[in-house]
Amino acid sequence: MAQRGSRSNNLVVPQANAALQQLKMEAAQELGVTIPQDGYMGHYTSRETGSLGGYITKRLVQIAEQSLSGRNL
């Protein structure tokens, strides 16, 4: 079990962090969710954070499918 304060979702490719942060910001903007400057989202509901996470996952799957099919974005 993860220790309090530690992250259990370590990136396989740490260099992808900037791209993932950009994707998170774009998804939040499209869904109308404002991400605080400090990144703490503890005041948001599970519905808000879950919809954001689900949308990001959906976009990542679309990007992977396009990449595998040989199409560019």
Side-chain angles (χ1 to χ4, degrees), residues 18-33:
L20 289 172
Q21 290 300 319
Q22 179 64 30
L23 181 61
K24 181 169 80 171
M25 298 304 281
E26 290 174 7
Q29 184 177 15
E30 289 178 20
L31 294 174
V33 175

Side-chain angles (χ1 to χ4, degrees), residues 23-51:
L23 181 61
K24 181 169 80 171
M25 298 304 281
E26 290 174 7
Q29 184 177 15
E30 289 178 20
L31 294 174
V33 175
T34 305
I35 297 178
Q37 290 294 326
D38 63 2
Y40 177 71
M41 297 184 68
H43 303 295
Y44 289 87
T45 65
S46 295
R47 179 176 293 248
E48 290 170 321
T49 57
S51 66

Side-chain angles (χ1 to χ4, degrees), residues 2-3 10 12 14 20 26-27 31 33 39 48 50 52-53 55 65 67 70 72-73:
Q3 297 288 329
N10 297 325
V12 175
L20 289 172
E26 290 174 7
L31 294 174
V33 175
E48 290 170 321
L52 181 57
Y55 187 80
E65 287 175 343
S67 175
N72 291 331
L73 294 174

